[in-house]
């Protein structure tokens, strides 16, 4: 969801900040086209596809807004003339220590040319990219090492598709001494080049003529063949390796046993977790740090010196048997071979933050049960566990026939 969760010592401030963040996420786009989650998704796609993405921060009448800038608009190539200098690389100006100072952002006209460059100071820009080199100034598309294999796969697939379509239109093969249609004696049996007609169109199908005796047989096509599939798998395997993902996760897991599937999934998750690390460190964290400080400076939120205490809930890791893995974790914790820290670390969580959140939830249940409105309700009665989930499912199944009958 990309929604931040503040967990400072001031619970009232946390609730106010969390609600304000949710509201801002729905109206934070400077051009009013996308919500926050959509733009976070676009940021990930752009970082993988284009190599990098820029986020421009701005404050409009005291309200923080931001917009996304596609990577190719940050350039020193103005209308076909490159104006890069010693301290400007790829449209980014650097100081003597190699730190970004200004970004040269151009407008794109309808013909794809870049015009009207404007300098945006680095203090107003978040540069989102994933680099494999220490000295890299710009990001590189994740497909850089796989692009030629992708072209080969596309060309091979299109060629086989045309061949299969052509083969599908051949209905019969007729062999006779002439090797062509017997034709109509009143009409010419040649084409415009005065060549013998070897193929006869019949609606959307075709009849082909050959020599070597008279016979008629249905045309059978064996395309695409096993060799073609093997070549496609080889190309996809090379693409997967270039993207840092297991081939089985990308293409086909058939033949893998349970341990193999779990290992493949873990390897893919490691790649996904890295991408989320980059997104949080270069986009989500900085943008919400900037937003919360603008809100406190404008007086819409009280000053809280613990404003850095926030985190994001990540998507759960891929799993083919979550219950089995959870049972295994609990058994290993009970036997003393694994700690809660180990389990949380495997799921990219901090055990101390988890414990603090559990304590806050327990305190909230106690406070709710202490109110006159819920007198007699025990804190354990409102805890979401296996028993309460089973009770909710039973109640839902009991009410379903009644709702259908009422409808």
């Amino acid at each position: 969801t990309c929604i931040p969760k503040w967990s400072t010592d001031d619970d009232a401030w946390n609730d106010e900040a969390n609600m304000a963040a949710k509201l801002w996420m729905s109206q934070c786009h400077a051009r009013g086209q996308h919500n926050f989650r959509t733009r976070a998704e676009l940021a990930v796609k752009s970082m993988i596809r284009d190599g990098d993405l820029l986020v421009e921060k701005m404050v409009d009448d005291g309200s923080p807004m931001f917009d996304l800038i596609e990577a190719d608009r940050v350039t020193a190539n103005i209308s076909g003339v490159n104006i890069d200098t010693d301290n400007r690389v790829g449209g980014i100006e650097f100081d003597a220590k190699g730190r970004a100072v200004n970004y040269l952002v151009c407008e794109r006209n309808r013909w794809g040319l870049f015009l009207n460059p404007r300098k945006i100071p680095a203090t107003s820009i978040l540069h989102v990219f994933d680099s494999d080199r220490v000295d890299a100034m710009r990001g590189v598309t994740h497909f850089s090492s796989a692009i030629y294999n992708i072209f080969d796969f596309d060309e091979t697939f299109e060629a086989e598709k045309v061949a299969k379509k052509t083969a599908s239109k051949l209905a019969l093969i007729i062999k006779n001494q002439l090797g062509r249609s017997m034709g109509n004696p009143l009409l010419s049996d040649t084409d415009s080049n005065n060549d013998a007609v070897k193929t006869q169109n019949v609606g959307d199908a075709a009849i082909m003529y050959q020599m070597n005796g008279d016979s008629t047989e249905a045309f059978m096509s064996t395309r695409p063949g096993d060799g073609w599939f093997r070549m496609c798998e080889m190309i996809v395997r090379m693409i997967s390796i270039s993207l840092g993902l297991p081939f089985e996760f990308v293409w086909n897991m058939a033949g893998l046993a349970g341990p193999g599937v779990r290992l493949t999934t873990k390897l893919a998750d490691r790649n996904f977790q890295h991408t989320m690390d980059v997104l949080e460190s270069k986009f989500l964290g900085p943008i919400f740090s900037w937003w919360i400080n603008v809100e406190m400076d404008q007086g819409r939120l009280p000053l809280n010196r613990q404003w850095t205490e926030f985190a994001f809930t990540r998507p759960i890791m891929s799993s083919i048997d979550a219950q089995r893995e959870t049972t295994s974790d609990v058994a290993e914790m009970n036997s003393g071979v694994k700690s809660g820290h180990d389990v949380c670390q495997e799921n990219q969580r901090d055990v101390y933050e988890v414990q603090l959140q559990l304590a806050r939830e327990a305190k909230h249940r106690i406070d709710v049960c202490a109110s006159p409105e819920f007198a007699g309700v025990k804190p354990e009665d409102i805890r979401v566990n296996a028993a309460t989930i089973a009770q909710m499912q039973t109640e839902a199944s009991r009410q379903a026939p009644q709702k259908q009958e009422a409808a």
Side-chain angles (χ1 to χ4, degrees):
T1 62
C2 302
I3 298 176
K5 180 73 174 179
W6 271 270
S7 55
T8 69
D9 294 336
D10 189 341
D11 291 336
W13 187 91
N14 294 339
D15 293 339
E16 188 175 359
N18 293 333
M19 290 299 297
K22 290 181 181 179
L23 177 62
W24 179 72
M25 290 173 68
S26 65
Q27 54 190 24
C28 57
H29 191 195
R31 290 182 285 125
Q33 293 179 323
H34 308 293
N35 59 24
F36 189 93
R37 185 178 181 182
T38 300
R39 279 184 292 165
E41 183 179 356
L42 290 173
V44 175
K45 288 182 178 179
S46 298
M47 181 176 64
I48 294 173
R49 180 191 62 226
D50 305 329
D52 53 2
L53 177 80
L54 278 82
V55 182
E56 182 183 5
K57 301 177 293 183
M58 59 196 80
V59 178
D60 186 8
D61 292 333
S63 299
M65 299 284 182
F66 72 93
D67 199 6
L68 303 183
I69 301 174
E70 292 188 349
D72 60 342
R73 289 178 54 202
V74 182
T75 180
N77 193 334
I78 313 300
S79 299
V81 179
N82 193 304
I83 59 172
D84 263 338
T85 60
D86 292 338
N87 67 329
R88 183 189 296 128
V89 179
I92 305 177
E93 294 182 356
F94 298 90
D95 61 14
K97 295 183 178 180
R99 294 174 296 193
V101 178
N102 294 302
Y103 290 82
L104 200 63
V105 179
C106 301
E107 298 177 2
R108 192 198 337 259
N109 66 10
R110 68 178 69 182
W111 296 282
L113 295 177
F114 297 112
L115 308 169
N116 306 325
R118 63 186 177 100
K119 287 185 179 181
I120 303 178
T123 53
S124 299
I125 290 291
L126 297 178
H127 194 182
V128 184
F129 71 99
D130 184 12
S131 175
D132 288 333
R133 295 186 57 192
V134 176
D135 294 333
M137 303 298 187
R138 297 289 303 268
V140 178
T141 171
H142 286 202
F143 297 101
S144 59
S145 58
I147 193 68
Y148 292 111
N149 289 322
I150 294 174
F151 288 157
D152 289 339
F153 181 84
D154 182 65
E155 184 179 356
T156 302
F157 183 81
E158 288 299 323
E160 186 64 22
K161 189 166 62 173
V162 171
K164 180 62 179 177
K165 185 184 295 185
T166 302
S168 298
K169 292 186 176 183
L170 296 179
L172 295 173
I173 295 180
I174 299 176
K175 297 180 180 180
N176 56 32
Q177 294 295 330
L178 297 177
R180 57 182 174 83
S181 171
M182 298 299 292
N184 189 327
L186 300 179
L187 300 175
S188 174
D189 199 18
T190 58
D191 58 16
S192 58
N193 295 325
N194 206 32
D195 295 326
V197 176
K198 299 289 187 180
T199 303
Q200 179 182 356
N201 290 326
V202 183
D204 198 30
I207 299 176
M208 181 173 288
Y209 293 86
Q210 296 178 341
M211 300 179 66
N212 299 326
D214 295 346
S215 66
T216 301
E217 61 184 64
F219 178 79
M220 303 293 294
S221 174
T222 58
R223 306 188 71 161
D226 183 65
W228 183 83
F229 281 111
R230 289 179 179 274
M231 184 182 66
C232 285
E233 285 194 356
M234 180 189 68
I235 296 176
V236 174
R237 189 180 296 275
M238 296 173 69
I239 295 172
S240 303
I241 293 173
S242 300
L243 298 179
L245 291 172
F247 164 77
E248 293 79 8
F249 190 90
V250 173
W251 192 250
N252 186 7
M253 284 192 179
L256 288 182
V261 173
R262 283 188 285 273
L263 175 61
T264 298
T265 305
K266 292 288 185 182
L267 292 174
D269 267 319
R270 184 173 298 179
N271 184 296
F272 302 149
Q273 294 291 341
H274 170 74
T275 302
M276 286 187 280
D277 287 339
V278 175
L279 185 69
E280 287 188 8
S281 63
K282 291 184 176 292
F283 178 48
L284 297 181
I287 201 71
F288 276 105
S289 296
W290 167 72
W291 170 79
I292 196 69
N293 277 277
V294 172
E295 294 297 296
M296 291 188 297
D297 289 342
Q298 296 291 330
R300 289 186 287 268
L301 283 175
L303 177 63
N304 188 331
R305 299 188 183 278
Q306 293 180 312
W307 63 265
T308 58
E309 299 295 327
F310 68 93
F312 304 90
T313 301
R314 293 188 173 190
I316 61 174
M317 297 180 66
S318 304
S319 175
I320 62 169
D321 195 350
Q323 183 176 1
R324 178 183 181 279
E325 294 176 357
T326 302
T327 303
S328 175
D329 288 339
V330 172
E332 291 177 349
M333 289 175 60
N334 292 335
S335 62
V337 299
K338 181 181 288 187
S339 68
H341 172 76
D342 298 328
V343 175
C344 290
Q345 194 172 39
E346 290 175 0
N347 292 276
Q348 303 294 319
R349 300 290 191 274
D350 185 285
V351 64
Y352 303 110
E353 293 181 359
V354 172
Q355 291 173 347
L356 286 173
Q357 185 60 31
L358 290 174
R360 292 189 186 94
E361 293 177 3
K363 181 178 181 299
H364 183 263
R365 289 195 297 270
I366 294 173
D367 294 340
V368 168
C369 294
S371 63
E373 182 181 359
F374 300 101
V377 178
K378 300 178 181 179
E380 57 269 21
D381 294 337
I382 60 175
R383 182 169 183 171
V384 179
N385 51 30
T388 55
I389 292 176
Q391 183 178 357
M392 292 165 59
Q393 292 174 339
T394 303
E395 183 66 24
S397 62
R398 186 184 302 115
Q399 293 179 356
Q402 299 176 357
K403 292 182 179 178
Q404 292 178 357
E405 183 178 352

